[in-house]
């Protein structure tokens, strides 16, 4: 049976926080997902439900039912009382540190929405008094809208490449029946595209032998190319290449990341000469296969530790001023870049203000605008040709900052 609980809504991105167990916590309990408790509290009650529905309320009192993995915790204080406002500020600081904002909060309660790369974390906090507070967290998978032919065509035109997640059996190069609709849509997109040349490129995860993976990726790219030809694409337009595991776009140590890396890409080989060169900024510590977004070169002294890409996804950006802003939801191609400071270079580490000012000034110099700016987050909008490019830069401290870039799909 699904339960319903009502809370106010707060929208924020996610932060990685260590989850430290306390010796007097009840057995089997822990802090929820990626949020750490207020210091001095222990877990007095804990309930973990694999699937449940919690109904939150927005500032306009609209009901927002959210279904997913639910954790319900009651924290009790082991020492002096802590005011409800201080407890809520603890979670608010964590939220703002991720570039989030307060959508709505009451005197003794607040709710946060933390959009991750493949999940959402909804976190509601109620503080009845200085000695205890209750927390409910819901983690749900992100909803991935159906990709249309128009989505594919616009992505190929804007980004110069289109990732196709075609299903194969392990170590096989036979397209599974459930992936035929993806191939059919890709063929329609190419029929409408003016591109004279398209490279069909295969990629694998890092499981297995590198040489064998390269052979497998080439074979898979070829069967996709053959399938496109069978649907009316001129074979003279297509070339086939396999890169195996050499060009990951996600973390190979997780199943989610490996699934993203197992892909076929349709690539415009002339895209860079059409005015969208890849930035040459690099660092010896950069993760393999990563590079800066062309519009957002890194701050000096940082290396790129992670770069993930998602096609056809929704991302929420804040627009306005802190405390008086609104949400804008954009649908398109998303790239997440994580930069870390290289403390061995002998240079002083910049603060969050310097990082955000660097990107705000860069956006304005190129004709862009700042849509939102706080002490730890910045949202910019730029125009390239017929496309808009939105970015959220988050810097909780100087050790690390993140950039989420979204190119909305053309309507």
């Amino acid at each position: 049976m699904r339960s319903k609980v009502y809370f106010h809504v707060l929208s924020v991105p996610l932060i990685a926080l260590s989850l430290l167990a306390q010796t007097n916590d009840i057995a089997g309990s822990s802090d929820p997902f990626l949020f750490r408790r207020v210091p001095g509290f222990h877990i007095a009650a804990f309930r973990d439900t694999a699937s449940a529905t919690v109904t939150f309320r927005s500032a306009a009192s609209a009901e927002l039912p959210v279904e997913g993995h639910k954790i319900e915790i009651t924290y009790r204080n082991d020492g002096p009382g802590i005011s409800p406002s201080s407890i809520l500020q603890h979670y608010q600081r964590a939220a703002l540190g991720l570039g989030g904002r307060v959508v709505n909060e009451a005197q003794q309660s607040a709710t946060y929405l933390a959009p991750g790369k493949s999940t959402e974390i909804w976190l509601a906090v109620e503080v009845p008094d200085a000695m205890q507070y209750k927390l409910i967290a819901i983690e749900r998978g992100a909803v991935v809208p159906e990709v249309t032919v128009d989505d594919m065509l616009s992505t190929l035109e804007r980004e110069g490449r289109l990732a196709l997640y075609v299903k194969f059996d392990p170590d096989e190069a036979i397209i599974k029946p459930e992936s035929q609709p993806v191939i059919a849509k890709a063929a329609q997109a190419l029929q409408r595209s003016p591109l004279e040349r398209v490279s069909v490129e295969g990629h694998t995860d890092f499981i297995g032998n590198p040489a064998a993976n390269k052979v497998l990726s080439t074979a898979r790219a070829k069967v996709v190319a053959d399938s496109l030809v069978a649907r009316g694409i001129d074979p003279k337009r297509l070339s086939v290449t396999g890169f195996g595991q050499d060009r990951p776009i996600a973390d190979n140590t997780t199943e989610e990341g490996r699934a993203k890396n197992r892909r076929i890409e349709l690539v415009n080989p002339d895209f860079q000469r059409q005015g969208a060169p890849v930035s040459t900024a690099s660092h010896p510590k950069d993760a393999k296969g990563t590079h800066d977004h062309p519009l957002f070169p890194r701050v000096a002294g940082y290396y790129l530790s992670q770069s993930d890409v998602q096609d056809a996804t929704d991302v929420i950006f804040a627009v306005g001023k802190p405390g008086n802003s609104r949400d804008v939801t954009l649908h398109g191609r998303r790239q997440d870049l994580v930069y870390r400071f290289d403390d061995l270079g002998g240079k002083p580490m910049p603060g969050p203000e310097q990082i955000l000012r660097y990107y705000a000034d860069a956006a304005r110099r190129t004709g862009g605008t700042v849509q939102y700016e706080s002490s730890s987050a910045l949202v910019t909008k730029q125009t390239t040709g017929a496309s808009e490019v939105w970015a959220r830069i988050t810097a909780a401290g100087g050790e690390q900052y993140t950039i989420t870039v979204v190119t909305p799909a053309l309507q």
Side-chain angles (χ1 to χ4, degrees):
M1 182 162 180
R2 294 174 180 172
S3 59
K4 281 193 174 183
V5 183
Y6 293 88
F7 294 99
H8 294 282
V9 174
L10 174 81
S11 174
V12 320
L14 195 57
I15 189 170
L17 296 174
S18 59
L19 309 179
L20 303 178
Q22 305 294 318
T23 56
N24 50 352
D25 286 351
I26 65 172
S29 66
S30 64
D31 290 333
F33 308 122
L34 301 176
F35 288 88
R36 185 169 56 186
R37 73 192 70 188
V38 176
F41 282 79
H42 71 274
I43 296 177
F46 181 87
R47 185 177 181 182
D48 189 330
T49 306
S51 180
T53 297
V54 175
T55 300
F56 302 87
R57 284 193 184 275
S58 69
S61 296
E63 293 189 357
L64 303 172
V66 179
E67 181 180 359
H69 179 197
K70 174 185 174 185
I71 291 179
E72 186 172 352
I73 302 174
T74 297
Y75 290 98
R76 296 196 191 281
N77 200 340
D78 295 319
I82 299 178
S83 69
S85 61
S86 295
I87 293 172
L88 294 177
Q89 286 172 10
H90 169 86
Y91 288 98
Q92 180 179 332
R93 283 194 297 269
L96 294 178
L98 291 166
R101 65 184 184 90
V102 178
V103 173
N104 194 6
E105 66 177 356
Q107 187 174 2
Q108 292 179 271
S109 66
T111 304
Y112 308 86
L113 167 62
K117 294 171 184 174
S118 61
T119 62
E120 290 181 340
I121 310 295
W122 292 73
L123 187 73
V125 184
E126 285 191 337
V127 190
D129 55 57
M131 301 305 294
Q132 65 179 329
Y133 68 94
K134 183 177 180 179
L135 182 149
I136 290 182
I138 287 278
E139 181 181 39
R140 73 170 181 179
V143 177
V144 180
E146 180 182 359
V147 180
T148 67
V149 174
D150 286 339
D151 291 333
M152 290 184 172
L153 183 60
S154 61
T155 297
L156 185 58
E157 290 176 346
R158 291 192 318 271
E159 307 295 334
R161 61 183 59 240
L162 170 66
L164 304 178
Y165 288 95
V166 181
K167 301 295 184 182
F168 301 91
D169 283 324
D171 301 323
E172 296 290 342
I174 300 174
I175 300 172
K176 286 192 169 185
E178 60 263 36
S179 289
Q180 292 300 334
V182 174
I183 303 295
K185 289 179 182 179
Q188 293 178 54
L190 290 181
Q191 287 168 352
R192 292 166 52 184
S193 171
L195 294 179
E196 296 181 357
R197 298 192 303 153
V198 176
S199 176
V200 184
E201 301 178 356
H203 303 268
T204 69
D205 59 27
F206 73 163
I207 303 299
N209 178 272
N213 282 340
K214 189 167 186 178
V215 172
L216 178 63
S217 66
T218 303
R220 289 177 171 177
K222 185 177 186 307
V223 298
V224 169
D226 290 343
S227 186
L228 292 171
V229 170
R231 287 172 168 80
I233 302 303
D234 186 347
K236 295 179 181 178
R237 295 177 64 190
L238 305 180
S239 60
V240 172
T241 305
F243 291 99
Q245 64 191 54
D246 292 342
R247 296 189 178 183
I249 59 173
D251 185 358
N252 262 315
T253 63
T254 67
E255 178 50 42
E256 177 189 357
R258 291 192 292 273
K260 291 180 181 178
N261 291 332
R262 296 190 295 267
R263 68 198 189 279
I264 302 294
E265 289 192 347
L266 305 183
V267 178
N268 174 6
D270 300 317
F271 184 70
Q272 291 189 26
R273 288 193 291 275
Q274 293 178 352
V278 173
S279 170
T280 57
S282 63
H283 189 286
K285 291 184 179 180
D286 283 352
K288 186 176 181 180
T290 62
H291 55 77
D292 294 340
H293 188 284
L295 294 178
F296 303 95
R298 72 191 68 188
V299 177
Y302 286 81
Y303 65 94
L304 185 52
S305 65
Q306 185 177 342
S307 176
D308 295 333
V309 176
Q310 296 182 63
D311 287 310
T313 188
D314 288 337
V315 182
I316 299 174
F317 288 88
V319 173
K321 296 181 179 180
N324 186 28
S325 57
R326 60 186 176 87
D327 286 339
V328 173
T329 301
L330 301 175
H331 175 75
R333 181 181 177 88
R334 168 179 180 166
Q335 183 177 9
D336 292 286
L337 304 113
V338 180
Y339 291 91
R340 296 184 184 277
F341 184 67
D342 179 8
D343 56 4
L344 300 179
K347 296 181 179 180
M349 182 175 67
E353 321 81 30
Q354 293 170 281
I355 296 170
L356 298 179
R357 181 54 51 194
Y358 169 86
Y359 285 104
D361 291 343
R364 294 185 176 107
R365 282 197 303 270
T366 57
T369 58
V370 173
Q371 300 291 311
Y372 177 85
E373 189 171 12
S374 71
S375 61
S376 57
L378 176 77
V379 175
T380 67
K381 181 175 74 171
Q382 294 171 262
T383 302
T384 59
S387 299
E388 291 182 349
V389 179
W390 287 65
R392 177 172 59 231
I393 300 93
T394 304
E399 298 87 357
Q400 174 180 307
Y401 71 94
T402 64
I403 305 178
T404 297
V405 184
V406 173
T407 305
L410 295 175
Q411 301 298 318

